[in-house]
Amino acid sequence: MTGKTSRSVSLTAIFHPTLCKIVLNNAPQVATPENATPNRPGEVLIGYHGGAKWATWSIRQRCQIVSRARGEIASRVDQLTHLSRSEQRTDDAETVASELLPLCEALRWIGKHGKKTLAPRKVGWRGRPLWMWGVRSVVQRVPLGRVLILGTWNYPLLLPGVQMAQALAAGNLVCLKPAAGTEAVSAELIAAFYAAGVPKHAITLLNSTTEAAIEAQASGVDLVVLTGSAETGRKVLHQSAENLTPCIMELSGADAAIVLPQADLARVVDAVTFGLLFNSGATCIGPRRLMIQTDPSTATLPERLIDRLRATNEVTLHPAARASIADLLDDVLRKGAKDSLGRYDSATLRTTGKMHAVVLENVPEGHAILQSDVFAPVISIIPVQRPEQAIQMVNECPYRLAASVFGPTSQTQSIGKQLTVGVVTINDLVAPTADPRLPFGGRGQSGFGVTRGPEGLLAMTTPRVIATRRGRVAMHLSPRNDADAELLSGVLQWSHSSGWTRRRAALRRVTTAAAQWRALKK
């Protein structure tokens, strides 16, 4: 569930945690100079080798401290929900259900499983190549250093919160750039981590103004984690390429829900309505295309969905999304698509941001609205004759973050395995992605890399190998002699030949060559 509009980035100020105590109204808030401490990132560069060396704390300590933040978050539930309110987020229950509960479960998971996930992996004698006799190795997961997290406005707690927690548990220092309007709630979130025992030098809250992830990246970071639009992702990647900085890109979606014959239509209507309107439609894995396989059992689905949506209230879109959504809707309706609810008003959307859910039918094939990161409660109904048509449309869309399939379990799972998306949900949508054990990421223009789950935790590290040779045998260090090629060829055949006859012959070759090698060495 990610925010998908362009974001400003700046390092011009670092906010003091007391910013959390400002009393706010429901409008998006900004930090004030009284609550900010100027600190350009280039002035004092603290890598993980400096300061209090958070990276040198044991994995167990770091994971326990990060996990402890869930108790602090629970004690701040009222402040966090209040600070999360905006024109798009008016329901405190949504904040608790979609952000705070999943975030606290992710923190619990880090406390229980983080140490094991990040533990060094010993590579001993078992399975060791013959020519590596005497060598034992350890693969360590070490922090990358400074992680820059570019936050999102639509889920300002869950998404940057989990990313920050995993980066800290891995031993990194974190710079969090909040989205405009989320400065205060971000400060309150960071205050919870401080209260749990994370040292203050390990987290820096940056200003949300325009100029500066550019500054942050220029000052030298070791990983950039972006939740944003594909357009923003291209800009961040362009700058990251200058310093070859690795990135995790969690970008836009244009997700599909595929409905097969014999699907539970009541479940489909419930799920699509939920996904379409949740968080005022500002959910990147919300359904944007409803692909219905033509069959008597699915014939009433469009009408049932439209009837349900007629009873729903209007929502308010984020200012950054209004013009682009209105342009797309105006164009597709002008080209023959049908507004099945008849409640769309372009002027109202452009001036106030308010709109009812829009269900489109008869959308012209190939229209941009079918392959765009629509960040609003808009869904296009697409009849398909065969499941293969739906699979092809999903896999050919540039945005492939997630997809849902509704129908009998065996058929839906078979289709799910053919979809080149990051997440497939069967007979549900959106909610299962909040499981803290699961990684989250997309394909194509929906980005690359993952956050969350063990894969997301490991993504905050880089492997380091420590290889130790014991004993006096190190044949590669001996002077070359005429038996080397014969001995190595015998070892190759003995290690990789198929069948015992060939392997016995190879063993004889090794024995003879080894005797030759020892004789020549003398």
Side-chain angles (χ1 to χ4, degrees):
M1 298 180 287
T2 57
K4 306 306 169 190
T5 54
S6 300
R7 297 180 174 70
S8 305
V9 194
S10 176
L11 286 185
T12 53
I14 297 174
F15 297 108
H16 192 277
T18 54
L19 175 63
C20 304
K21 308 305 178 187
I22 298 175
V23 178
L24 303 169
N25 59 27
N26 286 352
Q29 302 297 309
V30 296
T32 63
E34 292 75 18
N35 291 286
T37 303
N39 185 4
R40 294 279 179 177
E43 293 178 1
V44 181
L45 181 61
I46 303 176
Y48 75 88
H49 296 293
K53 295 186 177 178
W54 168 246
T56 66
W57 296 27
S58 72
I59 297 173
R60 178 176 175 273
Q61 281 180 306
R62 296 196 307 258
C63 290
Q64 285 185 337
I65 289 171
V66 169
S67 181
R68 198 182 301 154
R70 61 195 173 95
E72 297 297 332
I73 289 171
S75 71
R76 290 169 163 79
V77 60
D78 295 327
Q79 299 99 301
L80 290 168
T81 53
H82 177 69
L83 295 174
S84 295
R85 293 174 192 160
S86 67
E87 287 185 299
Q88 293 74 47
R89 176 71 62 77
T90 59
D91 184 352
D92 288 348
E94 283 193 354
T95 300
V96 178
S98 67
E99 300 218 65
L100 295 177
L101 279 171
L103 174 56
C104 287
E105 286 298 332
L107 297 174
R108 187 204 301 270
W109 183 91
I110 288 173
K112 287 187 175 182
H113 303 286
K115 179 184 175 183
K116 182 177 180 181
T117 302
L118 296 170
R121 177 171 62 90
K122 293 182 179 180
V123 183
W125 63 269
R126 189 185 298 271
R128 176 178 58 195
L130 183 62
W131 42 275
M132 282 293 177
W133 185 265
V135 177
R136 295 197 179 190
S137 303
V138 176
V139 180
Q140 302 171 336
R141 304 300 308 200
V142 298
L144 288 159
R146 297 176 71 224
V147 175
L148 173 63
I149 297 174
L150 307 179
T152 172
W153 57 263
N154 65 324
Y155 290 95
L157 292 168
L158 173 63
L159 300 182
V162 175
Q163 294 161 3
M164 181 166 61
Q166 292 195 316
L168 290 168
N172 299 288
L173 301 185
V174 170
C175 296
L176 173 61
K177 202 292 295 182
T182 69
E183 299 88 346
V185 72
S186 298
E188 184 74 15
L189 176 62
I190 288 175
F193 281 92
Y194 288 154
V198 175
K200 290 193 174 182
H201 82 276
I203 312 175
T204 300
L205 178 61
L206 309 177
N207 195 310
S208 64
T209 54
T210 307
E211 297 74 25
I214 300 170
E215 284 185 39
Q217 289 183 258
S219 73
V221 296
D222 303 288
L223 175 68
V224 178
V225 183
L226 169 67
T227 302
S229 67
E231 179 184 357
T232 302
R234 290 186 185 94
K235 295 175 182 177
V236 172
L237 284 172
H238 181 77
Q239 187 183 1
S240 298
E242 295 292 329
N243 296 320
L244 298 179
T245 304
C247 298
I248 296 173
M249 297 278 114
E250 187 177 313
L251 306 179
S252 308
D255 294 353
I258 301 172
V259 182
L260 304 179
Q262 308 308 318
D264 181 342
L265 299 192
R267 166 64 65 86
V268 176
V269 170
D270 289 343
V272 170
T273 301
F274 164 77
L276 200 59
L277 295 172
F278 193 71
N279 202 31
S280 296
T283 299
C284 66
I285 54 174
R288 301 293 172 241
R289 295 170 294 163
L290 184 60
M291 301 176 183
I292 306 173
Q293 185 174 346
T294 302
D295 186 82
S297 66
T298 60
T300 61
L301 178 56
E303 182 182 352
R304 293 175 64 169
L305 177 63
I306 291 166
D307 286 345
R308 172 69 67 84
L309 291 173
R310 287 191 194 283
T312 60
N313 298 322
E314 65 182 7
V315 300
T316 302
L317 298 195
H318 192 276
R322 296 170 187 175
S324 61
I325 299 304
D327 288 345
L328 274 172
L329 286 171
D330 290 349
D331 186 70
V332 75
L333 292 172
R334 190 164 51 245
K335 292 178 178 177
K338 175 185 175 184
D339 172 15
S340 297
L341 272 75
R343 303 170 81 179
Y344 169 64
D345 186 308
S346 178
T348 299
L349 173 56
R350 293 178 187 275
T351 56
T352 70
K354 296 185 182 299
M355 68 176 294
H356 289 278
V358 174
V359 177
L360 297 173
E361 296 185 88
N362 304 325
V363 176
E365 185 176 350
H367 192 275
I369 203 165
L370 299 176
Q371 295 195 332
S372 297
D373 50 337
V374 177
F375 214 50
V378 176
I379 192 165
S380 300
I381 294 180
I382 307 170
V384 295
Q385 297 301 315
R386 304 181 311 280
E388 291 75 19
Q389 289 178 266
I391 293 169
Q392 182 177 359
M393 281 190 281
V394 170
N395 292 345
E396 290 181 351
C397 181
Y399 297 104
R400 301 193 301 281
L401 192 56
S404 300
V405 190
F406 293 85
T409 301
S410 59
Q411 297 176 40
T412 54
Q413 289 183 342
S414 174
I415 290 173
K417 293 175 182 178
Q418 301 175 64
L419 300 176
T420 57
V421 300
V423 179
V424 178
T425 54
I426 305 297
N427 291 320
D428 199 357
L429 46 73
V430 179
T433 63
D435 189 328
R437 301 168 298 177
L438 303 178
F440 186 82
R443 304 281 296 275
Q445 293 187 33
S446 290
F448 52 84
V450 296
T451 58
R452 295 185 253 168
E455 293 83 0
L457 181 54
L458 291 174
M460 299 293 179
T461 69
T462 187
R464 178 174 62 198
V465 175
I466 306 292
T468 303
R469 183 178 288 277
R470 293 180 172 85
R472 300 180 60 85
V473 177
M475 295 179 64
H476 61 287
L477 301 179
S478 301
R480 181 71 58 84
N481 68 47
D482 293 341
D484 286 344
E486 183 69 10
L487 179 59
L488 291 172
S489 297
V491 169
L492 173 65
Q493 290 179 333
W494 185 79
S495 298
H496 300 288
S497 292
S498 58
W500 282 107
T501 301
R502 292 181 178 179
R503 295 194 70 188
R504 279 196 298 269
L507 185 57
R508 288 194 295 271
R509 186 174 183 180
V510 168
T511 303
T512 302
Q516 260 186 326
W517 188 88
R518 286 192 296 269
L520 290 169
K521 187 177 178 183
K522 293 178 182 178

